[in-house]
Amino acid sequence: MNKIIITIILLILSNSFMTFAWYGHLKNMSHSFWLWAALISWGIAFFEYCLQVPANRIGATELSVPQLKILQEVIAMLIFVPFALLYLKQPLSWNYLWAACCIIGAVFFIFQG
């Protein structure tokens, strides 16, 4: 399988864990002591790192580090927006569109010749 495809799959999985670790406690543990939320989030983040590190190592064989970082940011937004809307019940706003435009600009500039 293509190394870039493997990298993208690993980054999607990694970002899914990351998003839940960073923001899931806001819904599930909002009334718990912050230290418990931090410890549980660190436990979830462990799995993120188990996927993120290989993704970066594999991706760095085909992409530059800046390209790899922008790819990760695109994937992060593709995971975060549905998570925020569907799981955290955040309202949809025009800011999502403007943020996407900025990221598209970043992709253009970082991947151009």
Side-chain angles (χ1 to χ4, degrees), residues 21 25-26 29-42:
H25 62 87
L26 297 175
M29 301 184 74
S30 61
H31 299 296
S32 299
F33 182 54
W34 73 266
L35 185 58
W36 294 122
L39 292 172
I40 290 169
S41 292
W42 285 342

Side-chain angles (χ1 to χ4, degrees), residues 55-69:
N56 284 337
R57 287 178 171 238
I58 294 166
T61 65
E62 299 286 326
L63 301 167
S64 70
V65 174
Q67 288 174 330
L68 191 56
K69 178 60 180 168

